[in-house]
């Protein structure tokens, strides 16, 4: 009845003060949330790390679903050395010799809670992050020839080969030739035992 009387007689100033205070309390971020320091990085492992034995299986299990042969989110794929080291939309993910400065480590370690990799599934353990840190600190050695067969076949396609300037072939009727391109055309005609059409 008191609320009805307030409504029928107009809202009282005290109501607005309380109502605004209620909204303000819910609008404020939790104390210290914006100023929370980044999560500390696990220290690098102290033992030598081998890419094929230790790192490649980790990448296969945790990274290929988003950055592998089927999908390349942010233009990054971890199954191809050249692409991984070059990086994608956010630049190189690895700084050899400096794991703490490597974006890869910051993401998998969760230094920023709003940007953690992998985004789905189990996060990397502290031991796995330590291995990755050690690999990068030890120079990020990555042997050649680990790319999938599909990538190797694609790179062998003629469109990916460097541009070359082949020598013009020898022809039997050099007087018809006016430029090097004519030599290629005439060589093909002569190979099929054809003669050039007379000039119009």
């Amino acid at each position: 009845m008191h609320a009805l009387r307030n409504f029928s007689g107009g809202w009282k100033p005290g109501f607005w003060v309380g109502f605004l205070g209620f909204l303000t309390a819910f609008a404020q971020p939790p104390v210290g949330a914006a100023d929370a320091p980044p999560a500390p990085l696990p220290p690098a492992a102290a033992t030598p790390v081998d890419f094929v034995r230790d790192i490649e299986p980790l990448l296969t299990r945790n990274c290929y679903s988003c950055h592998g042969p089927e999908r390349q989110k942010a233009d990054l794929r971890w199954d191809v050395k050249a692409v991984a080291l070059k990086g994608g939309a956010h630049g190189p993910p690895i700084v050899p010799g400096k794991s703490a400065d490597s974006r890869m480590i910051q993401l998998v370690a969760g230094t920023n809670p709003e940007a953690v990799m992998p985004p789905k599934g189990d996060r990397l353990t502290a031991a796995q992050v330590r291995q990755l840190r050690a690999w990068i600190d030890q120079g990020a050695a990555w042997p050649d020839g680990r790319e999938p067969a599909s990538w190797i076949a694609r790179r062998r396609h003629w469109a990916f080969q460097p541009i070359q300037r082949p020598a013009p072939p020898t022809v039997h009727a050099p007087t018809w030739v006016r430029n090097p391109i004519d030599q290629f055309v005439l060589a093909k005609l002569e190979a099929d035992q054809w003669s050039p059409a007379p000039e119009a």
Side-chain angles (χ1 to χ4, degrees):
M1 295 297 293
H2 180 69
L4 291 176
R5 284 197 300 273
N6 284 342
F7 181 79
S8 60
W11 298 105
K12 293 183 178 180
F15 171 83
W16 288 112
V17 173
F19 183 68
L20 291 175
F22 173 80
L23 291 179
T24 303
F26 277 88
Q28 296 297 324
V31 176
D35 302 325
L41 291 175
T47 56
V49 178
D50 179 78
F51 177 83
V52 176
R53 182 192 65 212
D54 304 315
I55 304 302
E56 193 171 45
L58 191 154
L59 297 176
T60 303
R61 289 192 305 267
N62 299 279
C63 305
Y64 282 11
S65 60
C66 293
H67 306 286
E70 303 299 328
R71 300 176 63 195
Q72 296 90 43
K73 296 183 68 174
D75 297 326
L76 177 65
R77 58 185 298 175
W78 282 107
D79 62 327
V80 176
K81 175 182 177 181
V83 179
L85 296 182
K86 179 182 179 182
H90 303 291
I94 293 174
V95 182
K98 299 180 179 180
S99 64
D101 297 334
S102 297
R103 178 175 172 82
M104 176 193 200
I105 297 300
Q106 296 166 2
L107 290 173
V108 298
T111 57
N112 180 359
E114 297 182 359
V116 180
M117 296 294 163
K120 297 180 181 179
D122 296 333
R123 291 183 53 179
L124 270 64
T125 65
Q128 291 172 328
V129 176
R130 294 182 64 200
Q131 273 198 323
L132 284 172
R133 287 203 63 183
W135 172 62
I136 295 174
D137 287 341
Q138 293 167 19
W142 189 326
D144 294 328
R146 304 298 301 176
E147 291 81 7
S150 59
W151 173 264
I152 296 175
R154 176 187 172 193
R155 300 307 295 178
R156 289 176 179 169
H157 189 272
W158 67 265
F160 294 96
Q161 303 309 310
I163 297 176
Q164 299 179 354
R165 185 181 293 276
T170 302
V171 295
H172 298 296
T175 56
W176 183 83
V177 174
R178 295 184 180 178
N179 58 62
I181 296 177
D182 286 346
Q183 288 180 252
F184 289 96
V185 174
L186 184 57
K188 181 62 176 176
L189 291 174
E190 292 177 346
D192 293 335
Q193 298 182 349
W194 289 5
S195 299
E199 293 187 13

